[in-house]
Amino acid sequence: RQAATHTRTDERAIPATMGGGMSRAPAARTKKAEPGNKLSADMLLLGAPSVGKSTVFRQIKLLYRNGFTPAERKRARIELRHNLIASLLKLDEVALELGLNLTSNDAEEAITRLKLLLTDYQFDERDDANCVEAQAEGEGGADEETEESVPFPTSDVLTVFADESISKALMAVKAPNFSLAQADSAGRELIQTALPYVMENMDRIVKSDFMASDADCLHLRRQTTAVEKISFKCSIMMRSKQETVACTCTDIGGQAQEQEKWEQYASGKDFLVFVAAMSDFDHMLPNGTNALSQQFQLLRQVLSAKCFASANVIVLLNKTDVLEEKLRHHQLQDFF
């Protein structure tokens, strides 16, 4: 996805809510790492839920770690198929809200089977080779290839998708004025991000020999519930000389329970990358707060936190492509 970045360059006092202190803007730097006095940089990816932070994490994998491993592609296949089934189930819910029922007994039976199979297409993040928590506990980390526990229900997926009520629901969610209930943030994320991609690529996804491409790995949607860390190298220009920097990037979820881990992983980080979704300007949270305003409030809390006082802060404004599409139908000042 397209993204814009902004680096913190000012120093200002903000009321402390995550450990106290003032935000500071230390000079951008890399540090010498032992052995051999190599340059290194450690970064931490943070942000609210559903802002595309983990997609940024996967983009770093793609750009700086020679792409995705066969095991990661197999897991992506499972997760993308989960996105497809979940999207169809959400369309069925939308159809019911519109007063539309599935038009055939075959579709009714197929949707029932899909509901039962949904949990079989979920991947436990603790089994990922990059999961920090599992590694600390002596679990996971094997990066073994993952197989689907049950055959993919291609026939049921196609039967449900072909139903007239699902087609009408799909047309409804594509309308500029369509909106889900405020409390249904998971459904909103499915419809806004996962559904367009899986619908466009459904013919490939349902095939028995389907293997996830780079684009598939980047477009899958899942809630981050584990801490992942990768190491990679990149080249930069320093004093007119090309230098290699050994980097690490740690990705932590944005849900409230995951935010409690942020301070734990703050120590020693050189860069804090805070991701915000600009396309959320028109979304209201259940508490009546504008979602984008809430993200910037969370950023203020991070900037004022003592544990992040020594880190360079980069604000990455994500999902600008979705923002541009929304601005064709909505005025920014009406929401934000």
Side-chain angles (χ1 to χ4, degrees):
R1 291 187 176 276
Q2 299 175 10
T5 60
H6 173 71
T7 305
R8 180 179 68 190
T9 57
D10 62 323
E11 181 172 339
R12 51 189 165 170
I14 300 176
T17 55
M18 294 179 60
M22 297 173 59
S23 65
R24 289 189 272 179
R29 69 195 187 283
T30 54
K31 62 187 178 185
K32 295 292 184 179
E34 297 297 340
N37 287 332
K38 299 291 185 180
L39 292 172
S40 69
D42 299 324
M43 67 185 95
L44 187 62
L45 269 176
L46 301 179
S50 303
V51 296
K53 177 176 51 59
S54 292
T55 302
V56 174
F57 186 74
R58 291 194 291 270
Q59 287 173 327
I60 293 174
K61 281 186 180 180
L62 178 61
L63 291 171
Y64 297 105
R65 292 193 43 161
N66 299 318
F68 301 100
T69 67
E72 287 172 330
R73 293 185 188 279
K74 285 193 174 184
R75 287 196 292 270
R77 178 182 65 187
I78 293 173
E79 292 173 316
L80 206 62
R81 285 177 163 178
H82 177 274
N83 288 172
L84 174 56
I85 295 173
S87 295
L88 286 175
L89 296 180
K90 178 53 63 176
L91 286 175
D92 182 49
E93 290 180 19
V94 171
L96 291 174
E97 292 175 2
L98 296 173
L100 303 171
N101 293 311
L102 294 170
T103 58
S104 72
N105 290 333
D106 287 345
E108 289 280 4
E109 293 173 359
I111 203 78
T112 299
R113 288 192 290 268
L114 291 180
K115 291 177 181 178
L116 296 174
L117 281 173
L118 185 62
T119 55
D120 291 317
Y121 281 86
Q122 289 180 322
F123 174 72
D124 187 348
E125 288 183 282
R126 292 180 63 87
D127 292 335
D128 194 288
N130 302 308
C131 180
V132 176
E133 296 153 311
Q135 291 175 2
E137 297 170 11
E139 302 174 0
D143 201 24
E144 297 176 353
E145 294 188 357
T146 303
E147 300 293 341
E148 295 168 33
S149 57
V150 294
F152 185 70
T154 300
S155 177
D156 286 342
V157 166
L158 296 178
T159 297
V160 171
F161 182 69
D163 192 88
E164 183 180 358
S165 68
I166 299 299
S167 298
K168 290 181 177 179
L170 184 58
M171 290 178 61
V173 301
K174 289 181 178 179
N177 60 346
F178 177 82
S179 63
L180 284 169
Q182 291 181 0
D184 192 7
S185 58
R188 176 178 165 276
E189 175 71 5
L190 262 179
I191 287 176
Q192 187 179 85
T193 57
L195 186 144
Y197 188 81
V198 295
M199 291 295 108
E200 182 180 348
N201 294 275
M202 187 169 66
D203 289 345
R204 289 192 306 110
I205 296 172
V206 301
K207 288 183 177 179
S208 59
D209 61 350
F210 167 64
M211 181 57 69
S213 65
D214 290 345
D216 294 331
C217 293
L218 293 176
H219 280 85
L220 66 86
R221 291 294 174 264
R222 71 165 180 234
Q223 177 177 299
T224 302
T225 57
V227 180
E228 292 189 59
K229 180 179 179 180
I230 56 173
S231 300
F232 59 96
K233 294 181 179 180
C234 67
S235 297
I236 62 172
M237 290 297 295
M238 291 186 66
R239 303 180 184 90
S240 302
K241 181 182 178 182
Q242 195 82 6
E243 297 280 4
T244 299
V245 183
C247 304
T248 67
C249 182
T250 303
D251 177 27
I252 309 179
Q255 292 75 24
Q257 66 270 23
E258 300 301 317
Q259 290 179 22
E260 297 175 0
K261 303 175 184 176
W262 289 7
E263 186 171 350
Q264 175 185 348
Y265 289 91
S267 177
K269 295 298 183 290
D270 304 298
F271 296 93
L272 168 62
V273 181
F274 187 92
V275 182
M278 298 301 292
S279 57
D280 280 348
F281 76 92
D282 62 342
H283 177 52
M284 301 301 292
L285 299 174
N287 63 5
T289 304
N290 179 276
L292 186 56
S293 295
Q294 183 67 30
Q295 291 175 38
F296 288 141
Q297 177 58 34
L298 182 59
L299 173 60
R300 293 186 187 97
Q301 295 176 12
V302 169
L303 290 174
S304 66
K306 188 176 181 179
C307 59
F308 296 122
S310 62
N312 296 282
V313 178
I314 300 171
V315 179
L316 190 149
L317 304 178
N318 201 22
K319 300 191 179 182
T320 57
D321 51 343
V322 181
L323 169 68
E324 291 173 359
E325 179 63 29
K326 284 188 174 183
L327 289 178
R328 296 181 181 180
H329 310 285
H330 302 290
Q331 295 295 318
L332 186 64
Q333 58 267 29
D334 291 341
F335 300 92
F336 181 76

